[in-house]
Amino acid sequence: TFKDHIQPVWSVAFHDTGDFILTSSMDHSVKLLDLNALKQRYTFRGHVDSVNKVNFQPFSNIFASASADKTVSLWDIKSGLCVQTFYGHLNAVNDVQFSLKGDSIASCDADGVLKVWDVRMVRERNQLDCGPYSANKCSFDKSSTIIAVASDDGIIKLYNEAVNKIENMLKGHEDAVQDVKFDYNSKMIVSCGSDSTFRVWPVSYTHLRAHETPEHLVCRLLLEKKK
């Protein structure tokens, strides 16, 4: 048991090697824990409000943090320094996720705004307003083209960055959706909500056509299979 933070801890993340863990807290800090030595290695300070989420860039020593101070920052665990800060959110940032290649970041905030950032060019690439309800979590699919957004209105929005629009909305939760994830092969989406449920959505749901219900989708796929 580690008791290094002095306020609630909101997020944890493993490094790809399995040797390190990041933790983020309401105490405005991020801590790096060495699992081999079983001790804290470093405390990252710079945010001026709660750090709500941390995530490592795939196969890298860089990690991203999302904060209630309305910023997303990149940090280097070797130097202990903040290497870049992205500004643009107008409310607390709830989540930050890397694409599989690590060249893009998605972040979402309490206003329901999703932003996509280009890590290499260090700029905002796209924005989608999913508001007015809070966007609680986001997740890239394997292609890094589709981003699922879990919203306080009980709906999961599927945003296609290639065309810069919502491709579909998954409805079923009866209260706020708190988290959403694609499986590694992007064949399924799993979500959980304040309605005390978690739901598994076949990836086919992402191919719903305009005004098409899940029941219509099943019929269409069966007909297409027979052809």
Side-chain angles (χ1 to χ4, degrees):
T1 301
F2 298 93
K3 298 182 179 180
D4 298 289
H5 288 288
I6 58 174
Q7 290 192 45
V9 180
W10 299 134
S11 176
V12 294
F14 271 104
H15 189 266
D16 288 306
T17 61
D19 295 330
F20 300 101
I21 288 177
L22 288 171
T23 61
S24 68
S25 169
M26 188 188 284
D27 64 13
H28 307 181
S29 73
V30 176
K31 294 182 183 292
L32 179 70
L33 303 175
D34 187 327
L35 291 180
N36 295 314
L38 293 178
K39 67 178 182 180
Q40 178 188 315
R41 285 293 185 189
Y42 203 84
T43 298
F44 302 86
R45 302 187 187 278
H47 286 296
V48 295
D49 207 333
S50 173
V51 185
N52 297 327
K53 186 71 176 182
V54 283
N55 258 318
F56 275 107
Q57 185 180 38
F59 309 105
S60 167
N61 292 315
I62 301 296
F63 73 88
S65 58
S67 174
D69 66 11
K70 308 174 188 177
T71 66
V72 173
S73 291
L74 298 181
W75 310 76
D76 187 334
I77 64 171
K78 284 190 173 181
S79 67
L81 299 176
C82 177
V83 295
Q84 185 63 51
T85 297
F86 297 94
Y87 299 93
H89 284 285
L90 301 179
N91 208 335
V93 187
N94 295 325
D95 194 20
V96 61
Q97 298 287 334
F98 280 98
S99 63
L100 189 61
K101 293 181 180 179
D103 57 352
S104 299
I105 294 173
S107 58
C108 58
D109 68 27
D111 285 334
V113 173
L114 171 75
K115 289 181 180 287
V116 184
W117 311 87
D118 189 313
V119 175
R120 294 171 182 170
M121 300 301 293
V122 194
R123 65 177 179 86
E124 180 183 322
R125 191 167 66 220
N126 270 314
Q127 173 180 305
L128 177 71
D129 189 350
C130 301
Y133 298 93
S134 174
N136 298 321
K137 291 292 187 292
C138 55
S139 177
F140 279 100
D141 77 338
K142 189 175 182 180
S143 72
S144 302
T145 301
I146 305 295
I147 304 171
V149 182
S151 177
D152 252 6
D153 62 2
I155 300 173
I156 301 163
K157 284 91 170 179
L158 298 176
Y159 169 65
N160 187 332
E161 197 201 352
V163 294
N164 194 28
K165 69 176 184 179
I166 295 176
E167 287 280 297
N168 192 25
M169 294 191 289
L170 306 183
K171 300 178 181 180
H173 283 285
E174 297 175 359
D175 205 339
V177 187
Q178 297 297 344
D179 203 357
V180 62
K181 292 289 183 186
F182 282 95
D183 77 313
Y184 180 77
N185 292 312
S186 296
K187 292 183 178 179
M188 292 183 295
I189 296 171
V190 63
S191 61
C192 59
S194 297
D195 58 0
S196 305
T197 70
F198 71 91
R199 297 167 187 260
V200 180
W201 311 81
V203 76
S204 301
Y205 270 51
T206 66
H207 302 307
L208 283 169
R209 293 171 181 169
H211 310 298
E212 186 175 43
T213 67
E215 291 76 17
H216 292 154
L217 169 67
V218 172
C219 292
R220 175 166 62 82
L221 292 178
L222 288 172
L223 288 172
E224 291 176 354
K225 188 175 181 180
K226 290 180 179 179
K227 292 180 180 179

